[in-house]
Amino acid sequence: MTEEAKEDQTRKRHKFRCYKPTDETLQDKQVAPATALSVETEVKKIVEESRSSGSTEIDLNALAPRKENWDLKRDVEKKLAKLEKRTKRAMAEMIREKMKSENTLSAD
């Protein structure tokens, strides 16, 4: 391969997703707009799967869309539990110290 051919392969190709180029030479690099899946087809698919498995119950969690930050909450939950324990322990220690200082002042 020549040096130019190698350089062309390593060079990034432009893809226009949101921009409609006015230059005719760039028209072929325009990406077709994405189409969103309809909710009805997804629900029908899940219902068909549940019918084919013989189950009469439909999992409503599978039908309802998840919030966009569900994975963040799941990942942070363990860390928050650990911090909650540390916070309670620290607060208990502070209360004990305050009680000790009050007892030493009242004893004097």
Side-chain angles (χ1 to χ4, degrees), residues 66-80:
R66 291 184 174 175
K67 292 185 179 180
E68 54 275 349
N69 62 350
W70 69 271
D71 57 336
L72 295 174
K73 288 182 180 179
R74 179 198 64 207
D75 294 341
V76 173
E77 197 170 289
K78 292 177 186 175
K79 293 178 183 176
L80 285 177

Side-chain angles (χ1 to χ4, degrees), residues 55-66:
S55 175
T56 57
E57 288 188 27
I58 297 174
D59 185 17
L60 295 178
N61 292 329
L63 294 176
R66 291 184 174 175

